[in-house]
């Protein structure tokens, strides 16, 4: 596929995924939200739209005025390169954040449809004039206006920052898709590139997201949980923040086994709180190996597989055991053992001998295996033993590196 110089939403962004992102944002911030192209035309269904704005858009002229206003808001946001706060044509306050992909402005995310206390919106509104122009009874507009939310300016500026984060998510998905299509043109290895597509998207998001804003947001929520006397919620949020920081900060590095285990403990704590006593775990690592190096995020994908494919489908859950020891000839052995549902011999053969398989289980294991080989060559190994209804054991062997 050859993409033109000017991109369009439906070429580079999956609309179903876009709708999901938009709906989640609207639910988080409690604001009406819509995503439009550069001409102001919606590219996804609106989320949490107000009664007033639905009423304005119910006539053809009202809809066209809204689209023109959305296009203007997006263009002005594009020119500034950041979110803007402005009055819409009917007098309500809206926010717009540009979506710029590969230096091309393709549209924007908009939210708002509110009254800002400090802006005195109603003094700018002429419902009689609006009624006459768009052919909607004034009484209906007045009744719908009563339901429009009133926000403080400080809160709307914070919502603008959050909107910009989400618009950047969309842009980065577009960047990763464009990268994929360009690579596909330059190589005949189409099947291999399709397998890497998901990893490419995740990598693009991880490398471009603003960690400072994300971690500050999580820490703010954690402090709110503390003030609301919810210590367990606070601990969960801090654990999640630490895991995100760990994966982003060390994405290309080797870390000590002790650091990796500390991250795993936070991950297992979150899963234990999620599943309750259905997920139990035990960690027993020889102190002598804690300072040796391991590729970052080696253990978590395997533990996640144990939970999703081994324990989650068990009626009463189960247990994960993590062991680490020295063995002769300067090797470290790490074992992840679960008493889950196990797997049959055919599936086990596919995973152990790297035959073609697109399941999330095989992809996760193969990713870990490839990274071990990158750092240690043939001096490392990852092998799985499993039996149906009798659990699974993953054994990793790596050389000493301190």
């Amino acid at each position: 596929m050859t993409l033109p110089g000017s991109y369009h939403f439906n070429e580079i962004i999956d609309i179903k995924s876009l709708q999901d992102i938009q709906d989640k944002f609207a639910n988080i911030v409690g604001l009406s939200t819509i995503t439009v192209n550069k001409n102001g035309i919606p590219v996804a269904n609106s989320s949490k739209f107000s009664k007033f704005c639905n009423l304005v858009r119910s006539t053809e002229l009202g809809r066209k005025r809204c689209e023109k206003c959305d296009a203007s808001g997006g263009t002005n946001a594009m020119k500034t390169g950041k979110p803007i706060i402005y009055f819409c044509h009917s007098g309500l306050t809206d926010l717009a954040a540009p979506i710029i992909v590969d230096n091309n402005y393709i549209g924007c995310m908009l939210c708002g449809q509110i009254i800002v206390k400090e802006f005195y919106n109603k003094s700018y509104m002429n419902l009689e004039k609006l009624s006459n122009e768009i052919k909607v009874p004034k009484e209906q507009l007045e009744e719908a206006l009563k339901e429009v939310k009133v926000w403080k300016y400080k809160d709307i500026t914070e919502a603008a920052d959050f909107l910009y984060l989400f618009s950047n998510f969309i842009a980065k998905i577009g960047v990763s898709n464009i990268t994929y299509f360009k690579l596909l043109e330059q190589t005949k290895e189409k099947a291999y590139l399709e397998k890497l597509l998901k990893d490419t998207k995740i990598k693009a998001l991880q490398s471009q997201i603003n960690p400072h804003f994300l971690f500050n947001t999580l820490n703010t929520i954690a402090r709110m949980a503390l003030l609301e006397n919810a210590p367990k919620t606070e601990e969960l949020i801090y654990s999640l923040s630490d895991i995100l920081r760990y994966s982003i900060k060390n994405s290309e590095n080797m870390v000590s086994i002790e650091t990796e285990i500390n991250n795993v403990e936070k991950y297992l704590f979150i899963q234990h709180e999620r599943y309750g006593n259905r997920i139990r775990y035990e960690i027993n690592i020889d102190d002598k190996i804690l300072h040796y190096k391991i590729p970052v995020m080696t253990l978590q994908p395997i533990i996640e597989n144990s939970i999703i494919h081994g324990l989650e489908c068990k009626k009463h859950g189960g247990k994960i055991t993590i062991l680490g020891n020295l063995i002769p000839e300067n090797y470290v052995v790490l074992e992840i053992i679960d008493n889950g549902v196990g797997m049959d011999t055919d599936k086990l053969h596919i995973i152990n001998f790297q035959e073609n398989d697109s399941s999330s289980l095989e992809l996760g294991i193969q990713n870990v295996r490839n990274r071990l080989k990158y750092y240690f060559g043939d001096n490392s190994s990852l092998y799985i033993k499993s039996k149906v209804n009798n659990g699974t054991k993953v054994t990793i062997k790596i050389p000493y590196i301190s």
Side-chain angles (χ1 to χ4, degrees):
M1 175 179 180
T2 302
L3 289 171
S6 181
Y7 306 122
H8 301 281
F9 261 103
N10 58 354
E11 291 179 312
I12 56 177
I13 295 174
D14 177 62
I15 300 302
K16 184 178 179 181
S17 299
L18 172 65
Q19 185 75 61
D20 187 49
I21 293 171
Q22 178 186 291
D23 289 344
K24 282 183 170 58
F25 172 82
N27 288 328
I28 289 171
V29 299
L31 288 173
S32 305
T33 306
I34 193 168
T35 307
V36 301
N37 64 20
K38 60 186 177 182
N39 298 316
I41 309 300
V43 294
N45 295 326
S46 58
S47 305
K48 298 177 74 70
F49 250 40
S50 69
K51 182 179 178 181
F52 182 87
C53 290
N54 279 326
L55 192 59
V56 172
R57 290 174 183 254
S58 65
T59 70
E60 183 177 0
L61 180 58
R63 176 180 56 79
K64 287 183 177 178
R65 285 177 58 164
C66 288
E67 289 175 355
K68 183 178 179 181
C69 183
D70 290 344
S72 176
T75 300
N76 290 333
M78 180 267 293
K79 290 177 180 177
T80 64
K82 59 183 180 180
I84 62 169
I85 302 171
Y86 64 100
F87 288 113
C88 77
H89 72 95
S90 64
L92 297 182
T93 296
D94 279 342
L95 316 174
I99 301 173
I100 299 172
V101 177
D102 201 21
N103 294 319
N104 286 270
Y105 171 65
I106 65 170
C108 69
M109 278 189 78
L110 303 116
C111 71
Q113 301 180 0
I114 60 171
I115 291 173
V116 176
K117 187 176 181 181
E118 295 88 341
F119 286 178
Y120 307 105
N121 295 68
K122 291 183 179 179
S123 65
Y124 294 91
M125 303 179 78
N126 188 336
L127 294 187
E128 185 171 352
K129 182 175 183 291
L130 181 64
S131 171
N132 291 333
E133 290 176 347
I134 68 172
K135 309 304 180 188
V136 172
K138 178 183 176 183
E139 294 76 16
Q140 292 185 25
L141 291 170
E142 289 175 336
E143 193 64 28
L145 186 61
K146 294 177 182 178
E147 299 181 19
V148 172
K149 296 179 181 179
V150 179
W151 280 50
K152 294 180 180 179
Y153 179 72
K154 177 179 178 294
D155 295 331
I156 203 70
T157 57
E158 291 179 352
D161 288 338
F162 207 31
L163 177 68
Y164 194 46
L165 173 65
F166 272 73
S167 69
N168 269 290
F169 269 129
I170 297 170
K172 297 313 177 279
I173 291 173
V175 168
S176 64
N177 282 339
I178 290 170
T179 301
Y180 166 69
F181 289 125
K182 287 180 178 178
L183 287 173
L184 197 59
E185 279 189 329
Q186 297 169 5
T187 179
K188 295 180 180 179
E189 299 180 271
K190 180 178 179 180
Y192 177 69
L193 286 175
E194 286 177 342
K195 188 175 181 181
L196 290 181
L197 177 58
K198 288 184 178 179
D199 288 341
T200 303
K201 288 182 178 180
I202 292 170
K203 191 68 176 177
L205 288 174
Q206 283 183 332
S207 63
Q208 297 296 331
I209 188 174
N210 184 339
H212 180 70
F213 175 80
L214 177 60
F215 298 141
N216 280 351
T217 301
L218 288 172
N219 290 336
T220 298
I221 298 171
R223 288 194 295 271
M224 289 173 63
L226 177 62
L227 292 173
E228 294 170 359
N229 195 26
K232 187 67 71 175
T233 302
E234 179 195 14
E235 189 175 359
L236 281 168
I237 294 169
Y238 279 132
S239 293
L240 174 59
S241 178
D242 289 343
I243 290 173
L244 291 171
R245 184 179 289 106
Y246 176 77
S247 62
I248 294 173
K249 180 180 178 182
N250 302 295
S251 60
E252 301 294 339
N253 298 328
M254 297 264 281
V255 296
S256 69
I257 290 175
E258 181 176 21
T259 301
E260 179 81 354
I261 291 297
N262 287 339
N263 183 67
V264 163
E265 286 180 320
K266 291 182 175 70
Y267 173 78
L268 285 169
F269 165 72
I270 292 174
Q271 295 290 33
H272 178 71
E273 292 302 313
R274 176 186 176 192
Y275 290 100
N277 289 328
R278 292 188 65 243
I279 302 294
R280 294 172 288 111
Y281 63 90
E282 177 184 349
I283 300 175
N284 190 353
I285 305 293
D286 189 337
D287 290 344
K288 295 177 183 177
I289 71 170
L290 291 177
H291 66 284
Y292 291 120
K293 298 293 185 179
I294 189 172
V296 67
M297 298 290 284
T298 293
L299 301 181
Q300 183 177 317
I302 297 171
I303 295 167
E304 186 172 358
N305 280 336
S306 293
I307 293 173
I308 295 173
H309 301 286
L311 304 183
E312 194 176 63
C313 47
K314 286 188 68 174
K315 184 176 181 180
H316 300 294
K319 181 179 180 181
I320 294 175
T321 303
I322 303 169
L323 305 175
N325 293 287
L326 291 169
I327 62 171
E329 299 179 3
N330 298 327
Y331 281 97
V332 171
V333 169
L334 297 162
E335 296 175 313
I336 299 93
I337 306 165
D338 69 65
N339 61 351
V341 298
M343 64 187 84
D344 59 38
T345 53
D346 290 340
K347 183 68 175 177
L348 190 61
H349 187 272
I350 289 172
I351 296 173
N352 273 328
F353 297 100
Q354 306 178 29
E355 295 182 7
N356 292 331
D357 185 28
S358 60
S359 71
S360 60
L361 173 60
E362 194 275 340
L363 288 173
I365 294 295
Q366 189 60 32
N367 180 276
V368 173
R369 184 180 277 124
N370 287 342
R371 287 190 293 120
L372 290 174
K373 187 172 184 179
Y374 173 80
Y375 284 104
F376 304 116
D378 293 334
N379 289 324
S380 66
S381 64
L382 187 157
Y383 191 77
I384 304 174
K385 290 184 178 180
S386 187
K387 189 175 182 181
V388 174
N389 297 323
N390 199 31
T392 299
K393 179 169 76 170
V394 179
T395 302
I396 296 172
K397 188 176 79 168
I398 57 175
Y400 295 172
I401 294 181
S402 57

